[in-house]
């Protein structure tokens, strides 16, 4: 097949387990986790690619890929069903010399050098499927070109006290990175890596191959590739980003990021037509607010049927809330049924669950004396909660109760 | 049982527009918005797809731009196909004839398309019936009876003004049609045609050719009425929910029917969904102190006021203190702060300004045209 050269190809690392989301990622990869009423996390990097004019995206999958593969499909919802380029799901594969799982972020790209080479790109954008943000990668690639860089790393200023949780860059006045420290105890800067990289492909290709030959390497961008390039004085620059960016790697951050869509002061406008976030839409009728419904401060997706009370919550497509049920400060994922009189507070309820009558999930923090005992309660996907059952704060339920 | 893969679907996009002049002024009947996010064409088109039909032609006449953007390549209906799929058939202006006058002339323009489909059967429908119809038993019925023409009808109780917009038939105990009344002055119980017809493709082609050389153009008058005795015309009774949109009043009524959960669950059955164009709009947002009851709401709405017994299309904004009752509010319309909008229909992108009070009645809902500012 004749491949048309692409200036830029994106590689999206979507194989991670997302183990800190526990029950929510038991049977789906983290990028497939529902977010914001109708999206899945991966919609953000995919839509950013399309909106940035990048039409060739490799999605590297490994952990529990079924939901994710089905979701991406032929890429049509993002306009990535292209004759040249488009979205390609790239799972690990067997070769003549043996089988190999993706053993690190760099190894995953290494194993797909063949895919990238087909498009003979000048630049490769490396993305992850863990973040909620809107970003124009084209501007970052331009910045990379202007600085004649070998690698450009997107950075975000974080509060100093949070810096030890991130990969921290130290950069001089013109943006050149002088130092990189992975989760430093005493950070020298508060510029955190967002896990978004632009590389000149031939340069990255060389480092990937070298890294692969080093048997002691963990084959990871943050641990190996970036330090190696820095050590060899390659031109590496920091690209400042100051928009909304949220890691959704933990239960608390996933809950907060969903609540952010309800907050008019948060600069993430999902209704902004100039930078649409595309998603695979469920084929469902519009939602119905029934005669008994009381809905405020909430986001409700298509196919929902609400007869209960909803406050400060996000209901995904096809959720049913029966009479007398109360959903407050919670996230309810697609097709879940909340029966009469059930109460859901400060909770994340997964897809296709049934919450029985008068069951009680989660608790309000003001009712808990010892704040250490309080946290968001989580019901995993496909769980049935029987009538009057109770799931306390911080509960992590992945089997029927 | 007939294989639905060998059935061609034809949808007439512009029929009966004179009955709904307000809503079809800037668009085809087929692209009249309905039920929060649909266009009327979604109902026959989804019914065809759900029944297993994989090739569909949409016969257009005028004002078809919005219809074309709605349908695109047909991928939402899974009709973007290598073989068959969706075809929009623009009016086929032939020398000396101009734009078609009736169904038969429209079909003459689509003759090559019909012929090349190579289908065994053709199902033709109009675009002004709200229903989720399984066409398979209808094609089976046609095949079993070895009929020339099968027409689908519903038994209804209509007042005179509705009967006068319809074709009414009489059927005997064997389901044979023995009388056809066009726009009769009658009321009460009657068998009204839903304008869904099944024919063998070869029969239809022959009918088109013959009608053309005899200058016949109305299927209802020239064929069903005048040639009823020449053909085997059968009536198939459809007894599930349907509503023919034949006036602003019935448009309003059919919309309000969607608030009835039994009807809505039948029309929007999850197993046979009604497909429509995807707009990639975020879910609806409810603000502080809003109150919404007995209403259906599309994605992208921002609601800060009171909404009761109403239908809000995509991206509608209801301002603080505004009250919307018994109304249909189409995409992009803004009801500003403290305005009232009761028993009314707002077309797309209307603005009802602050403190304005608009009130109609269920029999005569006030209609505000596209882009209007009141």
């Amino acid at each position: 097949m004749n491949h048309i050269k692409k200036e830029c190809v994106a590689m999206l690392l979507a194989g991670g387990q997302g183990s800190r989301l526990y029950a929510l990622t038991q049977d789906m990869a983290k990028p497939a986790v529902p977010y914001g009423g109708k999206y899945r996390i991966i919609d953000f990097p995919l839509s950013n690619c399309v909106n940035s004019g990048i039409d060739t995206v490799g999605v590297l999958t490994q952990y529990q890929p079924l939901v994710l593969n089905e979701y991406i499909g032929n890429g049509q919802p993002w306009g990535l069903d292209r004759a040249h380029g488009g979205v390609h799901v790239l799972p690990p594969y067997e070769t003549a010399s043996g089988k190999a799982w993706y053993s690190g972020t760099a190894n995953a790209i290494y194993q797909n050098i063949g895919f990238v080479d087909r498009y003979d790109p000048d630049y490769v954008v490396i993305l992850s499927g863990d973040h909620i943000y809107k970003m124009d990668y084209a501007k970052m690639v331009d910045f990379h070109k202007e600085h004649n860089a070998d690698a450009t790393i997107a950075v975000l200023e974080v509060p100093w006290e949070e810096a030890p949780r991130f990969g921290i860059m130290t950069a001089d006045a013109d943006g050149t990175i002088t130092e990189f420290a992975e989760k430093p105890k005493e950070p020298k800067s508060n510029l955190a890596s967002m896990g978004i990289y632009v590389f000149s492909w031939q340069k990255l290709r060389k480092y990937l191959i070298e890294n692969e030959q080093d048997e002691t390497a963990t084959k990871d961008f943050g641990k190996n590739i970036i330090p190696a390039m820095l050590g060899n004085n390659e031109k590496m620059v920091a690209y400042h980003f100051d928009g909304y960016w949220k890691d959704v790697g933990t239960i608390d951050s996933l809950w907060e990021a969903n609540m952010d869509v309800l907050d008019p002061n948060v600069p993430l406008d999902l209704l902004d037509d100039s930078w649409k976030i595309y998603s695979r839409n469920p084929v469902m009728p519009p939602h119905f607010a029934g005669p008994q419904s009381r809905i405020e401060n909430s986001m409700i997706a298509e196919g929902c049927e609400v007869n209960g009370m909803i406050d400060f919550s996000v209901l995904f497509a096809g959720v049913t809330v029966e009479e007398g049920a109360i959903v407050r400060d919670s996230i309810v994922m697609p097709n879940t049924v909340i029966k009469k009189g059930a109460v859901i507070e400060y909770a994340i309820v997964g897809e296709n669950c049934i919450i029985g009558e008068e069951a009680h999930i989660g608790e309000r923090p003001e009712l808990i004396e010892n704040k250490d005992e309080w946290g968001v309660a989580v019901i995993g996907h496909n769980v049935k909660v029987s009538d009057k059952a109770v799931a306390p704060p911080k509960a992590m339920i992945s089997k029927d109760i | 049982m007939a294989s639905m893969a060998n059935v061609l679907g034809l949808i007439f996009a512009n029929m009966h527009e004179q009955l709904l002049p307000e809503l079809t002024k800037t668009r085809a009947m087929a692209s009249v918005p309905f039920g929060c996010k649909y266009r009327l064409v979604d109902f026959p088109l989804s019914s065809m797809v759900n029944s297993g039909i994989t090739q569909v032609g949409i016969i257009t006449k005028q004002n078809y731009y919005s219809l074309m953007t709605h349908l695109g390549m047909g991928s939402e209906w899974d009709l973007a196909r290598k073989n068959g799929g969706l075809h929009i058939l623009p009016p086929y202006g032939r020398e000396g004839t101009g734009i078609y006058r009736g169904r038969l002339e429209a079909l003459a323009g689509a003759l090559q398309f019909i012929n090349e489909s190579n289908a065994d059967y053709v199902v033709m429908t109009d675009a002004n019936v709200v229903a989720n119809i399984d066409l398979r038993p209808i094609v089976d019925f046609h095949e079993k009876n070895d009929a020339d023409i099968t027409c689908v009808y519903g038994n209804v109780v209509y007042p005179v003004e509705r009967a006068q917009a319809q074709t009414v038939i009489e059927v005997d105990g064997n389901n044979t049609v023995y009388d056809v009344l066009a726009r009769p002055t009658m009321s009460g119980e009657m068998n009204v045609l839903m304008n869904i017809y099944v024919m063998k493709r070869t029969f239809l082609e022959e009918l088109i050719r013959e009608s053309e050389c005899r200058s016949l153009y109305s299927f209802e008058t020239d064929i069903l009425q005048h040639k009823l005795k020449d053909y085997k015309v059968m009536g198939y009774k459809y007894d599930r929910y349907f509503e023919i949109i034949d006036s602003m009043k019935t448009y309003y009524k059919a919309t309000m029917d969607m608030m009835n959960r039994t009807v809505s669950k039948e029309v929007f059955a999850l197993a046979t969904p009604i497909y429509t164009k995807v707009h990639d709009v975020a879910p609806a947002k409810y603000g502080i102190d809003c109150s919404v009851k007995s209403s259906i709401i599309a994605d992208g709405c921002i609601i800060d006021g009171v909404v009761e017994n109403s239908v809000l299309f995509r991206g509608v904004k209801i301002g603080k203190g505004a009250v919307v009752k018994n109304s249909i509010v189409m995409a992009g319309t803004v009801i500003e702060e403290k305005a009232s909008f009761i028993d009314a229909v707002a077309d797309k992108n209307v603005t009802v300004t602050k403190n304005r009070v608009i009130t109609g009645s269920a029999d005569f809902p006030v209609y505000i045209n596209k882009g209007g500012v009141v």
Side-chain angles (χ1 to χ4, degrees):
Chain A
M1 196 177 148
N2 180 29
H3 288 85
I4 289 175
K5 178 181 167 70
K6 300 282 180 185
E7 189 194 23
C8 190
V9 167
M11 297 295 273
L12 207 166
L13 297 157
Q17 182 182 350
S19 55
R20 288 172 302 156
L21 291 176
Y22 309 98
L24 296 174
T25 49
Q26 204 148 68
D27 40 25
M28 66 174 73
K30 182 156 101 178
V33 169
Y35 167 81
K38 73 185 285 191
Y39 307 97
R40 294 186 187 261
I41 296 169
I42 197 169
D43 289 327
F44 288 80
L46 281 181
S47 301
N48 286 339
C49 281
V50 172
N51 292 335
S52 305
I54 298 173
D55 64 5
T56 307
V57 185
V59 179
L60 300 118
T61 59
Q62 177 155 291
Y63 174 81
Q64 287 286 17
L66 176 66
V67 176
L68 190 59
N69 284 349
E70 183 185 56
Y71 188 69
I72 295 169
N74 67 351
Q76 188 267 341
W78 304 270
L80 286 172
D81 50 338
R82 296 292 178 96
H84 299 289
V87 66
H88 295 258
V89 173
L90 304 168
Y93 54 90
E94 196 175 348
T95 65
S97 55
K99 311 168 192 186
W101 292 102
Y102 294 150
S103 56
T105 50
N107 175 260
I109 307 295
Y110 169 81
Q111 291 202 41
N112 288 288
I113 284 177
F115 169 79
V116 181
D117 275 348
R118 282 169 170 244
Y119 299 99
D120 185 25
D122 300 320
Y123 311 103
V124 169
V125 183
I126 307 288
L127 304 167
S128 64
D130 309 10
H131 305 122
I132 303 299
Y133 64 110
K134 289 182 171 188
M135 179 172 175
D136 190 344
Y137 304 138
K139 284 188 183 157
M140 185 171 166
V141 172
D142 285 346
F143 183 85
H144 180 87
K145 288 191 234 174
E146 279 160 23
H147 285 77
N148 246 327
D150 298 305
T152 300
I153 301 173
V155 295
L156 190 76
E157 273 185 48
V158 295
W160 280 93
E161 62 273 20
E162 284 183 32
R165 289 176 38 224
F166 293 93
I168 294 295
M169 307 286 159
T170 311
D172 62 22
D174 74 340
T176 303
I177 296 168
T178 53
E179 221 181 306
F180 170 74
E182 185 76 38
K183 297 183 181 153
K185 285 204 180 81
E186 287 169 16
K188 290 184 182 164
S189 136
N190 65 339
L191 295 180
S193 165
M194 296 164 66
I196 300 163
Y197 311 104
V198 176
F199 290 100
S200 298
W201 171 237
Q202 289 308 323
K203 196 65 97 174
L204 174 64
R205 196 177 185 284
K206 173 175 154 280
Y207 277 91
L208 288 173
I209 293 168
E210 284 173 11
N211 180 48
E212 203 58 33
Q213 284 157 354
D214 177 359
E215 283 178 11
T216 62
T218 49
K219 293 159 188 173
D220 183 87
F221 275 95
K223 293 197 181 84
N224 305 123
I225 303 291
I226 305 298
M229 288 182 81
L230 208 52
N232 287 343
N233 288 320
E234 303 288 3
K235 174 81 173 166
M236 302 177 80
V237 292
Y239 176 77
H240 287 256
F241 178 76
D242 55 8
Y244 179 89
W245 179 84
K246 191 118 187 169
D247 182 285
V248 283
T250 64
I251 294 297
D252 286 348
S253 64
L254 180 65
W255 182 85
E256 280 169 29
N258 274 285
M259 290 301 145
D260 281 348
V261 304
L262 304 177
D263 185 344
N265 300 317
V266 167
L268 175 73
D269 184 5
L270 295 174
L271 286 167
D272 174 15
D273 269 355
S274 67
W275 200 269
K276 270 193 179 184
I277 302 301
Y278 301 95
S279 63
R280 189 172 287 280
N281 280 250
V283 182
M284 286 190 180
H287 75 261
F288 179 67
Q292 319 285 338
S293 78
R294 278 174 58 200
I295 309 170
E296 282 186 69
N297 314 307
S298 294
M299 187 171 240
I300 317 278
E302 292 185 328
C304 289
E305 182 157 354
V306 179
N307 265 305
M309 185 193 130
I310 315 286
D311 201 6
F312 285 105
S313 294
V314 177
L315 302 194
F316 285 73
V319 168
T320 304
V321 180
E322 295 185 352
E323 283 168 49
I326 297 173
V327 179
R328 278 196 287 215
D329 304 285
S330 293
I331 296 148
V332 184
M333 291 183 180
N335 302 316
T336 283
V337 178
I338 296 166
K339 301 256 188 193
K340 283 180 191 143
V343 178
I344 318 275
E345 292 178 312
Y346 288 91
I348 300 177
V349 182
E351 297 183 29
N352 305 310
C353 292
I354 296 173
I355 308 298
E357 290 182 17
E358 290 171 49
H360 198 124
I361 313 293
E363 193 61 85
R364 309 193 67 72
E366 53 266 34
L367 298 178
I368 306 279
E369 224 164 275
N370 182 355
K371 293 295 178 238
D372 290 341
E373 287 171 14
W374 182 82
V376 172
V378 178
I379 308 291
H381 308 298
N382 310 306
V383 170
K384 195 168 181 288
V385 173
S386 34
D387 293 353
K388 299 197 165 124
V390 174
K394 269 192 176 171
M396 180 62 60
I397 312 287
S398 49
K399 290 200 178 82
D400 294 358
I401 55 168
Chain B
M1 193 170 153
S3 161
M4 296 303 282
N6 289 323
V7 177
L8 171 69
L10 286 178
I11 298 173
F12 292 86
N14 295 86
M15 289 287 171
H16 320 293
E17 286 175 353
Q18 74 284 359
L19 301 173
L20 204 60
E22 306 94 328
L23 295 173
T24 56
K25 193 176 159 204
T26 57
R27 52 173 85 89
M29 177 63 93
S31 60
V32 166
F34 183 85
C36 273
K37 63 168 190 173
Y38 302 96
R39 304 265 184 171
L40 287 178
V41 72
D42 294 338
F43 295 93
L45 191 54
S46 301
S47 293
M48 285 177 177
V49 168
N50 290 331
S51 302
I53 294 178
T54 58
Q55 43 183 347
V56 179
I58 313 263
I59 297 176
T60 60
K61 184 176 186 179
Q62 63 216 7
N63 263 341
Y64 47 83
Y65 171 73
S66 64
L67 181 64
M68 289 177 75
T69 56
H70 178 72
L71 296 170
M73 294 177 299
S75 44
E76 270 95 1
W77 296 265
D78 202 11
L79 285 175
R81 299 201 177 206
K82 187 161 186 163
N83 300 310
L86 182 76
H87 293 265
I88 296 173
L89 306 168
Y92 195 80
R94 286 159 306 147
E95 215 176 323
T97 58
I99 273 181
Y100 63 78
R101 289 171 290 177
R103 211 181 282 278
L104 289 168
E105 280 187 354
L107 286 165
L111 190 56
Q112 189 185 356
F113 172 76
I114 294 167
N115 181 259
E116 287 177 1
S117 75
N118 213 20
D120 294 336
Y121 295 98
V122 178
V123 175
M124 340 193 283
T125 81
D126 291 343
N128 67 326
V129 178
V130 174
N132 190 343
I133 303 171
D134 185 358
L135 296 164
R136 286 169 292 194
I138 303 173
V139 175
D140 277 347
F141 172 94
H142 180 82
E143 195 176 37
K144 262 188 215 123
N145 286 295
D146 197 22
D148 291 320
I149 301 169
T150 295
C151 5
V152 181
Y153 70 92
N155 188 262
V156 295
V157 176
Y158 273 3
V160 177
E161 72 262 24
R162 289 204 75 180
Q164 280 176 333
Q166 304 298 340
T167 309
V168 173
I169 59 167
E170 299 283 355
V171 286
D172 67 16
N174 299 318
N175 301 313
T176 304
V177 178
Y178 67 85
D179 202 5
V180 177
L181 309 166
R183 297 173 291 282
T185 305
M186 61 191 282
S187 62
E189 194 179 333
M190 63 191 80
N191 294 326
V192 66
L193 279 193
M194 293 165 69
N195 293 320
I196 300 171
Y197 304 103
V198 184
M199 281 165 275
K200 270 209 174 87
R201 175 180 58 85
T202 46
F203 174 85
L204 177 63
E205 285 178 20
E206 200 46 49
L207 198 66
I208 295 167
R209 284 198 199 94
E210 197 188 314
S211 305
E212 197 173 21
C213 61
R214 291 181 190 278
S215 305
L216 306 176
Y217 56 86
S218 167
F219 185 78
E220 284 76 10
T221 312
D222 298 325
I223 306 297
L224 287 185
Q225 287 196 305
H226 297 159
K227 297 198 165 182
L228 189 61
K229 300 285 176 284
D230 300 354
Y231 299 123
K232 187 173 183 186
V233 181
M234 306 289 291
Y236 177 95
K237 186 176 168 196
Y238 183 74
D239 49 19
R240 303 189 70 209
Y241 175 86
F242 74 95
E243 191 58 80
I244 302 174
I245 309 290
D246 55 11
S247 64
M248 182 57 93
K249 192 172 158 184
T250 54
Y251 172 81
Y252 181 82
K253 178 197 172 287
T255 303
M256 292 303 155
D257 282 350
M258 299 304 121
M259 243 76 86
N260 175 328
R261 297 318 281 162
T262 316
V263 170
S264 155
K265 280 182 177 155
E266 185 184 319
V267 173
F268 300 110
L270 290 181
T272 53
I274 301 298
Y275 300 93
T276 191
K277 180 182 163 81
V278 168
H279 283 255
D280 294 291
V281 182
K285 257 175 139 168
Y286 289 71
I288 293 170
D289 298 332
C290 70
S291 166
V292 180
K293 292 192 195 305
S294 302
S295 294
I296 48 178
I297 316 283
D299 277 356
C301 290
I302 300 179
I303 307 169
D304 291 312
V306 175
V307 179
E308 275 176 34
N309 206 37
S310 294
V311 173
L312 308 190
F313 283 67
R314 282 192 197 94
V316 165
K317 292 189 178 68
I318 309 292
K320 261 201 178 323
V323 176
V324 175
K325 283 186 184 170
N326 310 325
S327 290
I328 301 170
V329 185
M330 291 190 201
T333 284
V334 179
I335 313 287
E336 293 186 350
E337 278 176 46
K338 294 179 185 156
S340 292
F341 198 71
I342 295 163
D343 293 319
V345 178
D347 207 309
K348 288 175 81 171
N349 303 319
V350 163
T351 305
V352 178
T353 52
K354 208 171 161 179
N355 299 322
R356 275 306 293 259
V357 177
I358 306 285
T359 314
S361 74
D363 280 345
F364 294 98
V366 173
Y367 169 78
I368 316 278
N369 62 354
K370 196 170 168 181
V373 178
V374 287

